[in-house]
Amino acid sequence: MKNEFIIPFLISFFSISQIFSQNRILTLDDAINIALENNREIRLAKMNVEKAGAAVDEAFGYALPSLDLNGTFTHFLRKPKMPFPDFEALLKNATYSILFDENVIPRDNNKFVPVETKLQSFAQSNNYEAQLLLTQTLFSSTVFRGIGASRIYYNLSKAELNNTISKTVLSVQTTFYGVLLAKQVSEITNASFLNAQDNLRNVKALFNQGLVSEFDMLQAEVQVENIRPMVLQMENTLKTAKDGLKVLLGIPQEEEIDISGEFVYEQETLAEEYDLISEALQSNFGLKSLDLKKQVDEAFIQIDVSEYWPNIAAFGSYSYAGSSDKWNFQNYSSLTVGLSFSINLWKGNRTKNRVEQSTITYKQTEEQINLYKAFLATQVRSKYSELKRVQSLIDAQNKNVKVAERAYEIAKVRYKEGTGSQLEIQNADIALKQARTNYIQSIHSYLVTKFEMEQLLGRTNHEYLLKYESE
């Protein structure tokens, strides 16, 4: 009875363990989407877009009204004093002057006292004021130019994000097909190893029957052992390639992955070289970013120039205040409206020098654009020539594989019939392995060059670009 329960449990346990131990299979599209979600450079570029969006809102805020509430309370520990005529002497002299003029008492000029100044205080110990100030900019070239500059900077941030996405997609494509190449070459090496082992078994059988010499058997054994290190080397190469892909995708190194894909070559008719260069100069993401940077630099020139223009603003102020010595405040309020006008007449040529610096930055960006255009044209020509070269090789390489396979089969038959040698089989196996490797490498070179050309032309799949548009 116990076995009836234990056996099904063990079967279920090992089945579940096998499921969890299986490799994670990734297609090229899967790998690209994972990289777009995990890539740190894309995250930083996305943050820059969000930051630029906040800068646009901030720039608009400078054109909106500003409402400030200010409040103060002061208590004098020692009241301020200022020199002022002696009010007591003034009052005394004025009183005697009236009495003398009205003949109330006889005039006596000795009654007048000299009027001198003395330190007096007119402040009360406790004072408070609350003010509500409303300000509205009516004209400020700096504010208006800043709004336009912030919008251009926002577009520049989005262009940089698209450029980063495009580069990431190209990196994933290149790395993914690098893993696929290592996998294919590993399979070719394994196939060669299996051929050598199969050949060794056949030679041993013939040796046991006395049909071949011990030398032939030793040669077959040496061939097997010569290929074995290559098998291990290719396995390590494949593992290293997978580890590199994990780093690019942001996948933990301890997670086991495998890829699903194949080298598919389709004969394509390439456009004219001039048309491809024109497309690159129009659609390349890096060039678009530089063009927008140039617009930003131009906007900053206008912002610096705007300091020559005046600023005009309307304002309204309501204040409520009070003062007292014994905390029995006397309160009062005031309401004012008005216009303010300000213009700088001279700042020690600081504005002039800032404009000059901004202009130089603008010219530097122009030079960068011209340099990048020349670089793009050179790259497109190089990739175009490489595609043409590989296209002419692939068909020949495919035919060469078929010839090498036929030659290997003939070498085996000749050896079995006694008209061939182990050297012929070894040479045929080496030629077959090299032909298959050359064919796969040619297709790999074509696909990678094609991906690089598409990135130069700005042909990155829009689904990847729109992935961040909706966020």
Side-chain angles (χ1 to χ4, degrees):
M1 289 295 293
K2 292 182 178 179
N3 292 337
E4 293 178 359
F5 291 101
I6 293 176
I7 293 175
F9 172 77
L10 291 176
I11 293 175
S12 300
F13 174 78
F14 285 117
S15 298
I16 294 173
S17 299
Q18 186 176 8
I19 290 173
F20 282 101
S21 64
Q22 289 179 348
N23 293 345
R24 182 179 180 183
I25 308 299
L26 300 176
T27 63
L28 177 59
D29 191 59
D30 293 335
I32 292 175
N33 284 309
I34 292 173
L36 294 182
E37 292 175 1
N38 298 337
N39 186 271
R40 289 183 173 86
E41 290 185 2
I42 292 180
R43 289 179 183 175
L44 291 174
K46 177 62 177 175
M47 291 178 188
N48 285 335
V49 173
E50 295 171 353
K51 181 179 177 182
V56 173
D57 296 336
E58 179 189 6
F60 270 107
Y62 285 106
L64 298 176
S66 174
L67 183 62
D68 299 300
L69 176 63
N70 303 309
T72 59
F73 174 80
T74 57
H75 173 74
F76 288 115
L77 298 176
R78 178 180 295 176
K79 294 182 181 180
K81 294 182 179 181
M82 61 181 296
F84 212 80
D86 186 356
F87 284 107
E88 185 178 353
L90 288 173
L91 180 60
K92 183 176 181 180
N93 291 341
T95 301
Y96 276 113
S97 178
I98 293 172
L99 293 176
F100 292 155
D101 291 342
E102 297 295 331
N103 295 319
V104 176
I105 60 174
R107 177 177 291 275
D108 184 1
N109 291 333
N110 292 327
K111 297 290 185 180
F112 293 107
V113 296
V115 178
E116 298 178 352
T117 60
K118 68 177 184 178
L119 295 176
Q120 302 180 63
S121 175
F122 299 95
Q124 292 185 306
S125 299
N126 304 303
N127 299 271
Y128 77 87
E129 181 181 13
Q131 182 188 45
L132 196 64
L133 178 62
L134 177 66
T135 306
Q136 172 62 60
T137 300
L138 300 179
F139 176 81
S140 175
S141 181
T142 303
V143 171
F144 301 149
R145 294 289 185 182
I147 293 173
S150 65
R151 284 187 172 277
I152 300 173
Y153 182 74
Y154 176 72
N155 293 332
L156 172 60
S157 301
K158 292 176 67 177
E160 286 291 347
L161 174 60
N162 290 338
N163 191 28
T164 304
I165 292 173
S166 176
K167 290 179 179 178
T168 302
V169 170
L170 175 61
S171 296
V172 174
Q173 290 171 331
T174 303
T175 306
F176 183 90
Y177 275 94
V179 176
L180 188 58
L181 176 63
K183 186 177 180 180
Q184 293 281 349
V185 174
S186 179
E187 290 175 356
I188 291 172
T189 307
N190 280 325
S192 177
F193 186 60
L194 292 175
N195 288 340
Q197 289 178 321
D198 183 60
N199 178 60
L200 177 60
R201 284 192 296 269
N202 293 333
V203 173
K204 282 184 176 180
L206 294 174
F207 174 76
N208 292 333
Q209 296 175 10
L211 299 177
V212 298
S213 66
E214 182 181 3
F215 179 75
D216 284 348
M217 186 179 69
L218 292 176
Q219 277 189 317
E221 288 180 355
V222 170
Q223 183 184 9
V224 171
E225 296 307 319
N226 283 340
I227 299 176
R228 192 186 302 276
M230 298 174 61
V231 172
L232 297 176
Q233 181 183 356
M234 291 312 305
E235 290 176 353
N236 289 334
T237 301
L238 177 59
K239 183 180 181 302
T240 302
K242 287 182 179 180
D243 290 341
L245 182 61
K246 291 177 191 177
V247 172
L248 183 59
L249 303 186
I251 294 177
Q253 287 294 314
E254 60 270 14
E255 182 176 350
E256 294 297 327
I257 66 170
D258 199 359
I259 62 172
S260 174
E262 57 183 2
F263 288 106
V264 178
Y265 170 73
E266 296 179 358
Q267 184 71 32
E268 296 181 68
T269 302
L270 299 177
E272 293 296 328
E273 183 180 290
Y274 175 81
D275 295 333
L276 293 175
I277 293 176
S278 298
E279 183 179 353
L281 295 179
Q282 183 177 359
S283 303
N284 180 267
F285 292 106
L287 189 58
K288 286 182 178 180
S289 296
L290 282 175
D291 284 334
L292 286 168
K293 183 182 181 300
K294 176 183 174 182
Q295 295 178 35
V296 171
D297 293 339
E298 185 177 12
F300 275 112
I301 294 175
Q302 299 303 321
I303 289 175
D304 291 334
V305 170
S306 67
E307 293 192 16
Y308 290 119
W309 294 91
N311 295 321
I312 302 175
F315 66 89
S317 173
Y318 173 79
S319 63
Y320 191 80
S323 62
S324 74
D325 277 324
K326 302 297 183 180
W327 301 101
N328 53 337
F329 286 94
Q330 292 179 323
N331 302 312
Y332 57 93
S333 63
S334 65
L335 179 65
T336 58
V337 294
L339 293 174
S340 66
F341 175 90
S342 64
I343 185 171
N344 175 257
L345 299 180
W346 193 65
K347 281 186 179 180
N349 288 330
R350 283 180 293 170
T351 301
K352 175 178 175 294
N353 291 325
R354 270 201 299 270
V355 171
E356 184 177 352
Q357 292 176 61
S358 300
T359 303
I360 292 174
T361 301
Y362 175 81
K363 292 180 179 179
Q364 287 176 329
T365 304
E366 277 191 328
E367 292 299 324
Q368 289 176 354
I369 290 175
N370 294 331
L371 183 63
Y372 194 74
K373 285 181 177 179
F375 169 78
L376 270 181
T378 302
Q379 286 295 302
V380 171
R381 290 190 185 97
S382 175
K383 303 304 177 187
Y384 183 83
S385 300
E386 179 66 11
L387 288 174
K388 285 286 190 182
R389 183 189 71 83
V390 177
Q391 276 185 336
S392 64
L393 286 178
I394 289 179
D395 289 338
Q397 295 287 357
N398 189 26
K399 292 177 182 178
N400 193 38
V401 169
K402 295 177 181 178
V403 172
E405 289 174 347
R406 178 61 179 159
Y408 182 76
E409 293 298 326
I410 291 174
K412 289 198 300 183
V413 172
R414 281 172 52 82
Y415 184 77
K416 287 180 181 179
E417 293 176 349
T419 59
S421 66
Q422 274 296 307
L423 182 59
E424 288 182 357
I425 293 179
Q426 291 177 14
N427 291 338
D429 179 70
I430 293 173
L432 176 58
K433 182 174 64 175
Q434 188 63 48
R436 288 174 175 172
T437 302
N438 289 341
Y439 177 65
I440 293 299
Q441 287 178 338
S442 296
I443 298 179
H444 171 265
S445 177
Y446 178 82
L447 292 175
V448 170
T449 305
K450 179 183 175 183
F451 293 143
E452 292 172 342
M453 175 69 88
E454 289 176 346
Q455 198 273 336
L456 290 173
L457 301 179
R459 292 182 182 177
T460 301
N461 191 332
H462 282 279
E463 290 184 3
Y464 302 137
L465 303 178
L466 294 175
K467 184 178 180 66
Y468 286 90
E469 288 287 340
S470 59
E471 296 183 2

